[in-house]
Amino acid sequence: MKRKILLDTDIGTDIDDAVALAYLLANPKCDLLGITTVTGESDKRAMMASVLCKIAGKDIPIFPGV
């Protein structure tokens, strides 16, 4: 059974969030429903998350925060 996940991330500050996203994208037991980005320039963080999703061949909704 897949676990439904919503990832809230400040990707780009350190490598930890990029590694976590890559892990979730590659994990067959994970159903990544969406990604939200926070802190600072959330639009740029959303772009970084989008690149990782595209590399993984996944179309995950990404929502930049305020």
Side-chain angles (χ1 to χ4, degrees):
M1 180 178 207
K2 286 188 173 188
R3 182 170 288 235
K4 295 181 186 304
I5 304 283
L6 174 63
L7 178 65
D8 185 48
T9 178
D10 65 347
I11 194 168
T13 305
D14 290 313
I15 189 114
D16 60 333
D17 288 272
V19 171
L21 177 55
Y23 172 78
L24 293 173
L25 290 168
N27 189 331
K29 293 183 179 180
C30 171
D31 184 10
L32 188 56
L33 301 175
I35 301 167
T36 60
T37 58
V38 296
T39 309
E41 298 177 77
S42 58
D43 288 333
K44 288 185 180 178
R45 295 176 191 280
M47 285 187 254
M48 286 185 257
S50 177
V51 167
L52 288 175
C53 291
K54 286 181 184 171
I55 289 170
K58 306 280 182 157
D59 185 24
I60 309 292
I62 302 171
F63 304 95
V66 176

